[in-house]
Amino acid sequence: VSTQSTVAADYRQQSHIWSFRERISEALKTEGSVLKFDISLPLEHYYSVVMETRRRYGDKVKRVTGYGHVGDGNIHMNVLVESGTDMSDKLVIEIEEFALSWTRDHSGSISAEHGIGLAKRDYLHYSKSQGAINIMRQIKQFLDPNGIMNPYKVLV
């Protein structure tokens, strides 16, 4: 999967390396608007989503990048589009639909470590069966019968 890697020798170096990772999205924002995907994939497909998105949309976007943690298959894919692009723009919706369906079709999860959130709510069925979603709703109802914890979010 990796042709180059770095292993921190101590905590100081680990912090230094981690600071680069933390600034990737920040740096991309200086060049445009960023579509962010927090997905997980089996290792045989780990970086392929980035390459396929780049191949498919490379002439329509500024950049497609990916980074993450190979150990659990979590990849953060960022697609850089022109500054000020409306997130309801046809191209944005097309890219989101492509990336999430590609992830589903390759046995991945559309939300790896940051949760579904409002943006991915309508795609939850890409990673979870209707039975699993129903169980999630039942658990939410059991724990929050009055709907006061995080109302109107993912599981209503």
Side-chain angles (χ1 to χ4, degrees):
V1 172
S2 176
T3 58
Q4 291 183 321
S5 62
T6 301
V7 177
D10 55 37
Y11 180 76
R12 188 175 149 276
Q13 191 178 31
Q14 177 185 351
S15 296
H16 184 70
I17 292 168
W18 189 255
S19 72
F20 283 111
R21 184 255 191 240
E22 289 295 309
R23 290 185 286 195
I24 293 171
S25 288
E26 185 181 321
L28 288 170
K29 287 179 189 176
T30 65
E31 295 183 38
S33 297
V34 183
L35 310 176
K36 296 180 180 185
F37 298 90
D38 170 42
I39 57 181
S40 64
L41 289 159
L43 286 182
E44 65 265 22
H45 302 299
Y46 182 71
Y47 201 75
S48 301
V49 66
V50 174
M51 301 302 287
E52 189 60 25
T53 303
R54 192 178 288 154
R55 185 192 68 73
R56 188 173 182 135
Y57 296 103
D59 61 334
K60 298 175 184 160
V61 301
K62 291 178 132 187
R63 185 184 321 260
V64 181
T65 64
Y67 58 93
H69 1 119
V70 176
D72 62 6
N74 181 208
I75 187 164
H76 302 279
M77 183 170 74
N78 293 276
V79 180
L80 185 65
V81 295
E82 291 295 328
S83 290
T85 299
D86 188 320
M87 290 301 125
S88 63
D89 182 84
K90 181 181 173 189
L91 176 62
V92 170
I93 293 168
E94 182 182 327
I95 292 168
E96 183 168 75
E97 177 67 31
F98 168 77
L100 298 179
S101 59
W102 193 98
T103 300
R104 174 199 60 210
D105 295 346
H106 291 82
S107 303
S109 175
I110 64 162
S111 183
E113 68 177 328
H114 296 290
I116 291 294
L118 292 175
K120 306 292 186 287
R121 179 180 62 194
D122 295 337
Y123 295 99
L124 181 58
H125 67 281
Y126 279 28
S127 294
K128 301 294 178 194
S129 69
Q130 190 56 52
I133 295 170
N134 290 341
I135 290 170
M136 289 178 203
R137 283 195 174 103
Q138 290 170 358
I139 292 169
K140 166 79 163 123
Q141 178 62 36
F142 177 77
L143 295 174
D144 185 22
N146 297 321
I148 60 172
M149 297 187 313
N150 216 8
Y152 314 110
K153 300 295 181 188
V154 177
L155 300 171
V156 293

